[in-house]
Amino acid sequence: KEQENLLKNIKAGDKVLLSGGFLGIVANVKEKTCIVKIADNTKVEVLKSAVTSVLKGADEPASPEK
């Protein structure tokens, strides 16, 4: 349930950690995918399910794991 809520609330500008270990900033959100900027002039389209967590600031998880 927590993961479902996380995926539903992803928005442009969020810093995210992807399952492959990539960190990036969400540029655009679609129904099942999102466009993530991983470097200057480099954007990738990934399934929302590849997003493992949304980060607040410098590598801080938005909700600490318990």
Side-chain angles (χ1 to χ4, degrees), residues 19-36:
S19 59
F22 287 103
L23 290 171
I25 297 173
V26 177
N28 190 8
V29 179
K30 298 181 181 181
E31 186 178 333
K32 294 185 179 185
T33 63
C34 56
I35 309 292
V36 180

Side-chain angles (χ1 to χ4, degrees), residues 44-56:
V44 293
E45 184 171 10
V46 298
L47 292 173
K48 284 184 178 179
S49 60
V51 176
T52 58
S53 62
V54 177
L55 307 174
K56 278 186 182 175

Side-chain angles (χ1 to χ4, degrees), residues 1-11 29-31 47-54:
K1 282 235 184 228
E2 245 181 76
Q3 185 70 8
E4 283 180 32
N5 287 336
L6 176 93
L7 299 180
K8 286 180 185 176
N9 294 318
I10 292 174
K11 60 187 181 307
V29 179
K30 298 181 181 181
E31 186 178 333
L47 292 173
K48 284 184 178 179
S49 60
V51 176
T52 58
S53 62
V54 177

